[in-house]
Amino acid sequence: DNEGLSAMETFILLFFNTIAAQHVKLHATANWGVNGHMSLQETNPFLRRNSVVTTIYNYFGYTSFSTFLDTWEKQGLISEGWTEKSAWVKCVNHGIKDGIGQHGNIIDLMPHSRFVNFIVKVRAIFMDQFAKYKHEFPGVDGEALFVGTILHSLDHTLMEWNLPDPLWLDVDNPRFGKMAEMGRIVRVGFVQDVPFLYFNKRFKGSDHPFYKTV
């Protein structure tokens, strides 16, 4: 809009775009990388269990998250207005409907980004191994599985690295303070690993040869 932005305003917009419009695409895509059918309990229990977890967590993130907003408003954690006209869900839907653009030229960034270099190389290994074991992942799209596991985990890590202190987000900013409010909530409560899980969710803890190889 040809409007000047301060460094803080730019950071607020980038972080809000990450949580409300971009990260949600990873969750949405992951829905095509799951299979919770009971028949997999014998052949691929790691896939089945984490498919169930992914499905219910996506339900929590999209459907249940908005139900917390009224309580947070009353507690003063966010300002009034978030519960009006489903503002948060509209932001999420906008990001999802925007889709994912074709990005084949991302390989041009490999010499300049350790992150991109890692992603491109790991994806090649991932997809190669998935092709070998695809018969043990019925109904699962390999690309969606890659997005829901590798990319999703890295996105959480980068959010944590990029915002080590949630108070960096200025909630008093006259233009983007509301975005900063939600950014603080998400960074504090929904970025780091969920503690005290009673089951293994990491590739390295799986007995399946696909995960062990990757």
Side-chain angles (χ1 to χ4, degrees):
D1 298 326
N2 294 320
E3 292 189 26
L5 296 172
S6 67
M8 171 55 66
E9 289 174 331
T10 302
F11 188 68
I12 292 173
L13 289 176
L14 287 173
F15 196 77
F16 187 80
N17 180 65
T18 296
I19 63 174
Q22 302 306 320
H23 187 76
V24 293
K25 295 178 185 179
L26 304 182
H27 279 269
T29 303
N31 287 322
W32 276 263
V34 300
N35 187 339
H37 197 276
M38 282 298 299
S39 61
L40 289 174
Q41 190 60 39
E42 296 296 327
T43 59
N44 199 338
F46 185 76
L47 170 66
R48 180 185 178 275
R49 180 178 60 204
N50 285 299
S51 292
V52 173
V53 171
T54 295
T55 302
I56 195 168
Y57 205 86
N58 279 349
Y59 171 79
F60 289 155
Y62 184 83
T63 303
S64 297
F65 186 85
S66 294
T67 65
F68 302 144
L69 299 179
D70 183 60
T71 299
W72 291 340
E73 285 185 2
K74 293 176 180 177
Q75 293 175 336
L77 296 175
I78 55 177
S79 60
E80 294 182 358
W82 276 104
T83 56
E84 297 176 6
K85 300 179 180 179
S86 304
W88 170 253
V89 173
K90 286 182 179 179
C91 290
V92 172
N93 287 343
H94 178 78
I96 294 174
K97 290 179 180 179
D98 188 49
I100 302 172
Q102 200 281 336
H103 51 279
N105 58 351
I106 195 174
I107 59 175
D108 296 339
L109 295 175
M110 291 178 68
H112 312 288
S113 169
R114 288 191 303 163
F115 175 70
V116 173
N117 184 61
F118 175 77
I119 284 295
V120 172
K121 291 179 178 178
V122 170
R123 180 184 175 278
I125 297 171
F126 188 103
M127 298 307 293
D128 179 66
Q129 292 300 314
F130 183 80
K132 295 179 181 179
Y133 297 101
K134 187 175 181 179
H135 61 285
E136 297 186 29
F137 292 78
V140 172
D141 180 85
E143 198 74 55
L145 185 63
F146 176 75
V147 169
T149 55
I150 306 297
L151 287 186
H152 174 261
S153 298
L154 287 172
D155 204 42
H156 272 267
T157 298
L158 289 177
M159 281 191 274
E160 188 174 354
W161 288 359
N162 292 336
L163 184 58
D165 186 349
L167 296 181
W168 285 2
L169 297 173
D170 181 13
V171 297
D172 295 320
N173 184 276
R175 291 199 288 179
F176 308 120
K178 278 194 174 295
M179 293 181 179
E181 292 172 2
M182 189 58 67
R184 285 186 179 184
I185 291 287
V186 171
R187 174 60 183 84
V188 169
F190 301 93
V191 169
Q192 292 174 292
D193 271 350
V194 177
F196 311 122
L197 294 178
Y198 69 91
F199 60 90
N200 172 60
K201 63 182 178 61
R202 301 184 182 277
F203 280 25
K204 67 179 181 180
S206 171
D207 293 329
H208 195 284
F210 165 72
Y211 297 104
K212 295 177 72 173
T213 303
V214 172

